[in-house]
Amino acid sequence: QTQYAPYQILPVCGKYQDWLLPNPAEYYCCLFRAMGRLAAWDKLGRYDEFFGVAPTWGEDEYIRHMQASKKPISAKTLESQRRAVAGVIDCGLDYMRTVVPTMVPPALLEEGVLERVKGELLEMCPFFSAMSGQYQLNSPDYVAAMHANLQADNAFFWRDEYDELDCGVLDW
């Protein structure tokens, strides 16, 4: 195994190749810490020069806005969404079973478990847009600038003198 000096940039992985990392969970915990820092810096006003001061709103204003903008979803749209989500889930389940089964907790690969997960996700799919577009915006406390799709191929990593993994963020 190659040894790297503290603060030396580690080799990068390609898009969708994070399963090749030596310890993917360690890298993703590092990425989540970076996401937290980005959001915290926004809350501290570090981006105000670029984005302007973050807007604020109260509960009453939020409810009025949501009621005015909420539109019913047609049965045709719901069925189309359900088929699309099922297709994505099926690809993911196949990937878990055939490409990276050693990275999947064994309990998930037990008979029927992934099918139950799929069923629950399909039951939830009509509410995905409400969860991401409405609930997450119900308070300015939950809104901050950060990388919304931060994956291992959008960052660079190094270890410090204590062998702790850290990262910088690209592409946002």
Side-chain angles (χ1 to χ4, degrees):
Q1 185 175 12
T2 305
Q3 296 294 317
Y4 297 94
Y7 302 100
Q8 183 178 356
I9 301 300
L10 302 175
V12 298
C13 70
K15 193 151 203 78
Y16 306 118
Q17 293 183 334
D18 44 5
W19 56 278
L20 295 171
L21 293 168
N23 182 354
E26 179 185 27
Y27 281 76
Y28 275 90
C29 284
C30 183
L31 290 170
F32 290 145
R33 284 191 302 274
M35 291 168 74
R37 281 192 303 267
L38 291 171
W41 290 338
D42 184 34
K43 289 301 184 184
L44 290 171
R46 299 249 177 115
Y47 306 137
D48 289 358
E49 184 179 330
F50 304 104
F51 301 132
V53 177
T56 60
W57 57 88
E59 184 177 336
D60 291 341
E61 187 178 0
Y62 170 78
I63 290 172
R64 277 193 305 279
H65 173 73
M66 284 297 105
Q67 288 173 338
S69 64
K70 194 171 183 177
K71 297 179 180 100
I73 302 172
S74 71
K76 183 178 179 181
T77 300
L78 283 174
E79 185 52 38
S80 174
Q81 180 186 40
R82 188 176 176 85
R83 279 193 310 273
V85 169
V88 170
I89 293 170
D90 287 339
C91 287
L93 298 183
D94 180 60
Y95 180 78
M96 291 169 70
R97 289 179 178 128
T98 61
V99 179
V100 293
T102 58
M103 290 181 60
V104 178
L108 280 179
L109 296 176
E110 290 176 7
E111 185 69 33
V113 173
L114 291 175
E115 288 70 24
R116 283 195 304 276
V117 170
K118 177 181 177 179
E120 290 174 9
L121 288 169
L122 290 175
E123 182 180 338
M124 292 171 50
C125 79
F127 307 103
F128 287 168
S129 63
M131 286 186 274
S132 63
Q134 295 168 1
Y135 179 74
Q136 291 176 346
L137 298 176
N138 73 3
S139 168
D141 293 341
Y142 304 136
V143 178
M146 61 144 224
H147 194 304
N149 185 27
L150 187 53
Q151 297 178 27
D153 64 306
N154 288 329
F156 55 97
F157 298 89
W158 66 88
R159 291 190 179 280
D160 65 17
E161 65 271 24
Y162 305 106
D163 203 34
E164 294 293 321
L165 190 66
D166 206 345
C167 71
V169 178
L170 306 169
D171 186 33
W172 80 288

